[in-house]
């Protein structure tokens, strides 16, 4: 036997060395791995071989494998072992703990971890019932030396992780162990604190003595292990243990902040403790940390760590100022910052809520400490403090304390630095850069982070503008004046900009950008929150005048200037004389160009400035139309002048000016006058659009393609070589102009004004006014050719018309590159694209044209309903017109176009259509559409499923957006997913009333500990209260329509999209099905509905967010339909591993009217167990070997089966442990 064990051990040792040798070929490594795994699964020599391989004389990797063998035996063979074998293995494990390891400093950490896991696996199976003295044995073990003490700490930590954090054992065993731990927690905490105290004292003493460094390190290692174990318990134990003995634990942790080797672990414990939630009464002791001593420890530790966080870079001898960040010190700084923030949240929770808790006397020291982190060079540390400042400044009591008011003013000053976007990891122009290289992988990561940080900072500034409005205004005004007076500094070594122009990274642009954000946050809030007589009108007008007088030829800076004008404009409403100057400045920016652009294409920055100016004009006209009205004639004259020069504005810029004019014209409040103006404004466009030539072009795909130039080969990549460009511009202008008018033309909001102005044409039977829109005539004239264009656009995707595209434009109908990135969630292009001219290839321009043309057509139709009301819905044969255009050639229309049609048009049509037109307009549209989409999506999802099953081995394809290497397969699958959601959302909007919030089964706020129990409790109730909309009731009256709706809803549950599954199962399926339950449904239909839900559980059941609503839906169907349809029982008998006896018992209660009904929760649990066999497993779980842990005899006389929580009563376990032992 001994010889056989020795021989086997030699073979296993060789196999392990082959596996771990980097030079081994893959074939040999796989053979060795197979040999080791087969040995673990089949050999009867596992225990003796494992013990022999774990001997300290062998290499660490071999010892680790030996310990793995023992762990495998315990996990998978324990239930079949004899009692004597179990005792023997337990004794061997304890022997290994005693003398089976090297010294604490020599032993490998993975060996210690493997050894602790062996003991924990036995504890999970035997403690406390069969191993009552476990804690005593651990205490005894810890007295044998530092190595054993560290192992005990690892065992306690792993036990807490498995039982509380990961919950890797059955509920009864978990409850037994958790409750026993809880009952003994006072002793366990005392034991750990004693170990920590002894080893910290020993470490402090020995590290000062010459020649005792190794012994000091050993004590330090034990202290670190103890702190890590404490961290695993502090997160969940009763707060009393953390705050007992006058917060002895917290005091000890604060003292350890000054120990460089222990401070990181101590700060993590402190952070976990201060982040705890619970009863306010139990959290009151945390306020002791606001005393001078504790705050001073935190401050001094931060100052010390900050000084050591940066070190000289020895590898870069040429750059004398090159520095590196010391990671451990920097991580400690982060933890300290988070500790301060957590302390602030406790303060905000306790002050005011607890009458006994007063504002700390030394609050100023706390705010100074927090402000020190807010002014640190690290952008990450700054961002950590923002939410705490927000809580302080929003707090009803604290925000009025003088100390907080003072720090609010300081924060305003600090923000003038923090809002400047500096610290890119690739650069060296700021002290923040060296820290950013630790925190961010790329400039794109940093840019994304900074956008979030800046928006959070903006919220704080808005809050401050309510607390200290005068100081906020003064800080903003002072900063803006300084920036206006500062010379422009375009220096940026990495820029490709033209000489003298700024790039996005130029110092001046960064400063202007920051001051603009500050101004936008502060000015808007001040104008909203201050009374009119207190508004700083004069000072703001001086500031506005200075901005209006500022001249620059740098487009990026000019864009910031425009934002500042918009921020100050609300104040100008009190000084109308400034309006002409403002409009002049904005109009000048609309036609902005640089001197270098006479012939070259405009840069993106210049295009953005012009677009920004147009948007600013529209915003002013939207928000202050009454104020702009006196200048209408001047405005209109200027727009006519701009329009007279064809080259002055692009068609999009022209349409934005028209949109602004329409917004002002709404203030005429005179139907005839506004109609006359709109007639004049749109006359040339309507004439052009309705001409015979245009009608023939729009109705014929061949002529249309020729007109827009898509059938011609274009060799020249510049716009001048594209002869059809003006034709495309003409079409786009007509559509954008009509969209602007339909979107903006409205009647007065006040009924009396609308009646006086001639906008009211009658009243509904319910007494609601019926309005008319002054743009109705133009739209109705525009509509026939609009529908013709839509029909033609759909037909362009037919094979014969695709074949007419020239080689240059063969991909003109593809998804444009920018949309691909958004659809696939890939990073956007790098930052410096604004510096270069906006060259576009002929293909890019054609793709953009087709994309905008298609979307604008449906934008116009989508806006027509809410704009024209009955004038639109009463158009003769409207339903036939839409079917003949929007629904024409749908088989050939690609998914991304179909998605736009549903989102932009059909959803709007459904939302705004009056009930009287549901049957005549919407039913003929939606019935066939849902039926068609069911067939289309079903085929596409089948293809995706087949593709997934065929491609078992995933191909490694790296997606690099610079090379546009995005696989078409990925894009198509994601588009199918998005189209599916759009279709189901349309169904939801059409049929389901939104009177109730969506079920919260997937909310992330659920505590991990109770996720299984809570997720059931917060799920939708068995009788959802959502109701059908009026349109839904209309659709459900027609059998062919409601069967399409039901089939689509239930089929979609099995499509591989968890978001859609959760939403549809929660809100749609039962609400539709229960409308027809009372009717005579065929047994085959009922069976199909039910099996669809079970099939969905097989696909999505491993996701808790889907599992709960699907189980609830299955139960609703079964309980409501099982009494009438015995076929459902036949389906249930086919569920894998179902208990027929349990099914009979459940059925009897359903069918027998006299049977006693169980409670709702109990029924849900019973039903969930019945259908558990249908729930699919995640891929990572499918081939995992099951670990079975048997329940032990219950410790408790009256267990509560429905309650899985910690009991704190004395349950008779005290005798297992020594009550008088203070060390444990």
């Amino acid at each position: 036997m001994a010889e056989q064990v020795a021989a086997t051990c030699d073979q296993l040792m060789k196999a392990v060395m082959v596996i771990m040798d980097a030079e081994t070929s893959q074939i040999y490594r796989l053979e060795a791995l197979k040999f080791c795994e087969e040995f673990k699964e089949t050999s009867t020599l596992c225990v003796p071989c494992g013990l022999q391989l774990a001997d300290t004389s062998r290499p660490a990797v071999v010892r680790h494998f030996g310990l793995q063998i023992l762990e495998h035996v315990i996990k998978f063979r324990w239930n079949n072992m004899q009692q004597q074998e179990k005792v023997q293995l337990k004794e061997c494990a304890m022997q290994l703990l005693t003398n089976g390891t090297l010294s604490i400093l020599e032993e490998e950490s993975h060996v210690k971890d493997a050894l602790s896991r062996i003991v924990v696996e036995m504890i999970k199976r035997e403690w406390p019932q069969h191993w009552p003295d476990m804690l005593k044995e651990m205490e005894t073990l810890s007295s044998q030396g530092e190595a054993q003490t560290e192992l005990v700490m690892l065992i306690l930590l792993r036990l807490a992780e498995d039982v509380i954090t990961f919950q890797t054992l059955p509920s009864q065993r978990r409850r037994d162990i958790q409750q026993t731990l809880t009952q003994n927690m006072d002793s366990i905490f005392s034991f750990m604190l004693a170990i920590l105290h002894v080893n910290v004292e020993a470490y402090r003493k020995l590290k000062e003595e010459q020649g005792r460094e190794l012994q000091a390190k050993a004590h330090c290692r034990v202290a670190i292990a103890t702190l890590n174990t404490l961290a695993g318990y502090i997160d969940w134990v009763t707060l009393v243990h953390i705050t007992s003995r006058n917060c002895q634990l917290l005091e000890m942790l604060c003292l350890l902040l000054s120990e460089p080797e222990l401070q990181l672990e101590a700060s993590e414990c402190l952070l976990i403790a201060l982040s705890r939630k619970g009863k306010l009464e139990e959290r009151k002791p945390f306020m002791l940390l606001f005393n001078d001593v504790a705050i001073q420890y935190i401050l001094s530790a931060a100052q010390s760590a900050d000084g050591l966080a940066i070190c000289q870079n020895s590898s870069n001898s040429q750059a004398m100022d090159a520095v590196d960040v010391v990671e451990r010190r920097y991580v400690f700084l982060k933890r300290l910052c988070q500790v301060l923030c957590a302390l602030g949240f406790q303060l905000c929770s306790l002050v005011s809520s607890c009458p006994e808790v007063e504002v700390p006397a030394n609050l100023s020291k706390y705010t100074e400490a927090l402000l020190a982190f807010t002014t640190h060079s690290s952008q990450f540390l700054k961002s950590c403090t923002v939410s705490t400042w927000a809580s302080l400044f929003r707090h009803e009591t604290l925000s009025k304390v003088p100390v907080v008011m003072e720090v609010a003013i300081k924060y305003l000053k600090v923000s003038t630095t923090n809002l400047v976007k500096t610290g890119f990891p690739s650069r060296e122009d700021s002290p923040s850069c060296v820290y950013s290289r630790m925190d961010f992988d790329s400039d794109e990561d940093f840019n994304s982070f900074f956008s979030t940080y800046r928006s959070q900072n903006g919220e704080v500034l808005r809050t401050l503008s309510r607390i200290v409005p005068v100081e906020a205004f003064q800080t903003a005004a002072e900063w803006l004046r300084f920036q206006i007076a500062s010379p422009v500094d375009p220096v940026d070594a990495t820029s490709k900009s033209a000489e003298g122009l700024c790039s996005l990274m130029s110092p001046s642009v960064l400063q202007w950008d920051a001051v603009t954000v500050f101004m936008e946050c502060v000015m808007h809030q001040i104008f909203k929150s201050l009374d009119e007589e207190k508004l700083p009108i004069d000072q703001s007008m001086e500031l506005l005048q200075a901005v209006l007088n500022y001249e620059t030829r740098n487009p990026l800076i000019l864009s910031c200037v425009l934002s500042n004008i918009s921020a100050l404009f609300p104040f100008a409403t009190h000084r109308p004389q400034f309006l002409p100057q403002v409009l002049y400045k904005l109009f000048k920016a609309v036609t902005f160009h640089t001197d270098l652009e006479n012939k070259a294409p405009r840069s993106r920055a210049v295009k953005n400035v012009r677009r920004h100016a147009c948007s600013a004009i529209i915003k002013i006209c939207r928000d202050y139309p009454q104020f702009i009205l006196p200048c209408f004639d001047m405005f209109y004259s200027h727009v006519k002048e701009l329009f007279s020069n064809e080259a002055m504005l692009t068609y999009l810029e022209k349409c934005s000016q028209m949109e602004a004019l329409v917004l002002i014209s709404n203030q005429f409040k005179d139907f005839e006058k506004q109609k006359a103006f709109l007639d004049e404004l749109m006359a040339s466009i309507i004439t052009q659009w309705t001409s015979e030539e245009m009608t023939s072009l729009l109705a014929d795909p061949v002529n249309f393609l020729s007109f827009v130039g898509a059938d011609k080969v274009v060799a020249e990549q510049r716009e001048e070589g594209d002869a059809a460009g003006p034709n495309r511009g003409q079409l786009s202008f007509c559509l954008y102009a009509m969209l602007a008018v339909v979107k903006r033309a409205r009647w007065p909001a006040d009924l009396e004004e609308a009646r006086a102005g001639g906008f009211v044409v009658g009243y509904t039977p319910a007494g609601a006014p019926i309005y008319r829109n002054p743009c109705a005539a133009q739209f109705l004239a525009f509509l026939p050719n609009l529908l013709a264009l839509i029909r033609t656009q759909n037909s362009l995707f037919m094979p014969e018309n695709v074949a007419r595209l020239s080689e240059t434009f063969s991909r003109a109908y593809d998804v444009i590159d920018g949309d691909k990135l958004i659809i696939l969630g890939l990073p956007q292009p790098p930052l410096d694209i604004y510096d270069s001219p906006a060259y576009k290839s002929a293909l890019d321009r054609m793709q953009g044209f087709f994309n905008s043309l298609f979307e604008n057509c449906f934008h116009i139709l989508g806006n027509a309903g809410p704009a024209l009301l009955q004038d639109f819905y009463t158009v003769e044969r409207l339903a036939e017109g839409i079917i003949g255009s929007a629904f024409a050639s749908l088989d050939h229309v690609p998914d991304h176009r179909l998605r736009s049609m549903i989102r932009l048009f059909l959803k709007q049509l459904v939302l705004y259509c009056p009930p009287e037109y549901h049957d005549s307009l919407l039913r003929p549209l939606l019935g066939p559409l849902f039926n068609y989409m069911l067939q289309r999506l079903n085929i596409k999802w089948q293809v995706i499923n087949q593709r997934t099953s065929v491609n078992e081995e995933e191909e490694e394809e790296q997606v690099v957006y610079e090379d546009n290497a995005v696989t078409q397969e990925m894009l198509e699958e994601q588009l199918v997913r998005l189209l599916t959601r759009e279709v189901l959302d349309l169904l939801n909007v059409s049929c389901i009333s939104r009177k109730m919030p969506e079920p919260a089964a997937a909310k992330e706020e659920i505590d991990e500990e109770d996720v299984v129990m809570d997720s059931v409790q917060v799920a939708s109730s068995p009788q959802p209260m959502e109701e059908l909309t009026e349109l839904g009731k209309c659709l459900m009256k027609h059998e062919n329509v409601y069967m399409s709706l039901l089939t689509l809803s239930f089929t979609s549950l099995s499509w591989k999209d968890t978001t859609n599954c959760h939403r549809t199962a929660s809100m749609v399926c039962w609400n539709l099905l229960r409308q027809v339950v009372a009717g005579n449904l065929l047994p085959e239909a009922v069976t199909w509905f039910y099996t669809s839900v079970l099939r969905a559980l097989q696909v999505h059941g491993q996701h808790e967010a889907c599992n709960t609503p699907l189980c609830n839906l299955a139960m609703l169907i079964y309980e409501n339909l099982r009494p009438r349809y015995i076929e459902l029982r036949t389906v249930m008998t086919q569920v894998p591993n179902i208990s027929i006896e349990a099914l009979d018992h459940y059925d009897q209660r359903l069918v027998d009217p006299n049977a006693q009904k169980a409670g709702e929760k109990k029924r849900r649990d019973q039903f969930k167990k019945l259908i558990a066999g249908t729930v699919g497993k995640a891929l990572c779980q499918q081939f995992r070997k099951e670990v079975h842990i048997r329940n032990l005899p219950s410790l408790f006389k009256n267990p509560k089966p429905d309650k899985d929580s910690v009991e704190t009563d004395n349950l008779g376990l005290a005798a297992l442990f020594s009550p008088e032992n203070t060390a444990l």
Side-chain angles (χ1 to χ4, degrees), residues 270-454:
L270 204 51
L271 175 60
I272 294 168
L274 289 173
S275 301
R276 285 287 301 271
K277 293 172 183 168
K279 294 178 182 177
L280 294 173
E281 191 68 28
E282 294 177 348
R283 287 192 276 157
K284 278 196 295 185
F286 287 146
M287 294 300 290
L288 288 173
L289 290 177
F290 276 98
N291 65 40
D292 286 340
V293 178
I295 291 288
Q296 190 56 46
Y297 268 112
I298 294 172
L299 262 178
S300 59
Q303 289 162 356
S304 171
D306 192 27
L308 297 170
I310 294 286
C311 68
Q312 198 71 29
N313 187 342
S314 56
S315 63
N316 193 346
S317 57
Q318 294 180 348
M320 295 300 294
D321 58 346
V323 293
D324 279 336
V325 175
V326 180
E327 185 174 1
R328 183 176 169 85
R329 298 283 179 254
Y330 182 42
V331 172
F332 172 60
L333 267 182
K334 290 180 182 177
R335 294 295 172 272
L336 267 188
C337 180
Q338 290 168 320
V339 164
L340 274 178
C341 293
L343 197 53
F345 285 122
Q346 294 292 355
L347 175 69
C348 292
S349 300
L350 291 167
V351 172
S352 297
S353 303
C354 287
E356 314 92 79
V357 177
E358 298 178 353
V359 177
N362 64 344
L363 183 60
S364 59
K365 274 197 173 182
Y366 172 78
T367 55
E368 282 173 25
L370 195 61
L371 197 63
F373 280 105
T374 309
T375 55
H376 195 273
S377 297
S378 163
Q379 295 285 12
F380 181 84
L381 286 178
K382 292 176 183 179
S383 70
C384 287
T385 65
V386 174
S387 54
T388 308
W389 287 121
S391 299
L392 274 175
F393 296 142
R394 281 199 302 259
H395 196 276
E396 188 178 352
T397 304
L398 292 170
S399 61
K400 297 168 186 172
V401 175
V403 170
V404 177
M405 302 277 277
E406 287 171 20
V407 84
I409 298 168
K410 291 179 183 176
Y411 191 92
L412 287 169
K413 299 290 183 187
V414 168
S415 293
T416 61
T417 304
N418 287 359
L419 286 175
V420 180
K421 189 189 286 187
T422 55
F424 282 89
S426 67
R427 302 171 74 89
E428 296 288 354
D429 55 0
S430 162
S432 301
C433 297
V434 66
Y435 291 101
S436 293
R437 282 192 280 278
M438 293 289 294
D439 292 321
F440 308 104
D441 292 330
S442 63
D443 284 359
E444 284 72 26
D445 280 350
F446 174 81
N447 200 46
S448 174
F449 151 81
F450 197 85
S451 298
T452 305
Y453 165 51
R454 183 182 270 184

Side-chain angles (χ1 to χ4, degrees), residues 179 215 380 425 500 562 669 985 1112 1144:
Q179 291 181 358
Q215 205 170 343
F380 181 84
L562 296 177
K669 297 180 181 175
D985 196 38
N1112 286 342
D1144 290 338

Side-chain angles (χ1 to χ4, degrees), residues 157-169:
L157 175 59
R158 170 64 67 138
L159 180 62
E161 288 174 344
D162 282 2
V163 173
I164 309 298
T165 310
F166 305 128
Q167 301 185 1
T168 57
L169 59 172

Side-chain angles (χ1 to χ4, degrees), residues 895-909:
D895 290 342
H896 63 285
R897 294 283 190 251
L898 197 49
R899 181 177 168 233
S900 298
M901 181 185 79
I902 294 170
R903 188 179 77 253
L904 301 176
F905 168 47
L906 291 174
K907 202 179 291 183
Q908 302 304 311
L909 190 70

Side-chain angles (χ1 to χ4, degrees), residues 612-682:
H612 190 160
C614 293
S615 299
I617 292 171
I618 291 172
K619 185 182 177 187
I620 287 172
C621 294
R622 183 196 68 197
D623 296 342
Y624 306 99
Q626 194 67 44
F627 181 63
I628 309 291
L629 185 60
C631 297
F632 177 78
D633 292 334
M634 180 197 84
F635 198 118
Y636 194 16
S637 301
H638 192 79
V639 170
K640 285 179 180 175
E641 187 181 332
L642 290 175
F643 280 24
S644 63
N645 185 341
E646 287 293 329
M648 190 75 79
L649 300 176
T650 65
Y651 62 82
L652 199 53
E653 290 161 356
K654 288 179 181 178
C655 291
S656 69
Q657 302 307 308
M658 294 172 68
E659 190 172 340
L661 285 168
V662 174
L663 282 165
I664 304 172
S665 74
N666 288 335
Q667 295 303 308
F668 291 169
K669 297 180 181 175
D670 182 331
F671 179 84
E672 295 301 333
K673 182 180 179 182
Q674 190 176 2
K675 182 177 182 302
F677 162 70
L678 293 177
D679 286 342
E680 181 184 343
L681 187 68
M682 294 291 289

Side-chain angles (χ1 to χ4, degrees), residues 249-264:
L249 172 60
L250 299 181
E251 181 186 350
M252 191 181 293
L253 293 174
C254 284
L255 289 170
L256 290 179
L257 295 178
S258 60
E259 286 292 343
E261 297 302 319
L262 302 171
Q263 58 187 191
L264 178 57

Side-chain angles (χ1 to χ4, degrees), residues 35 185 187 380 409 836 859 895 1076 1105:
F35 171 73
M185 195 52 66
S187 301
F380 181 84
I409 298 168
S836 54
H859 262 305
D895 290 342
V1076 296

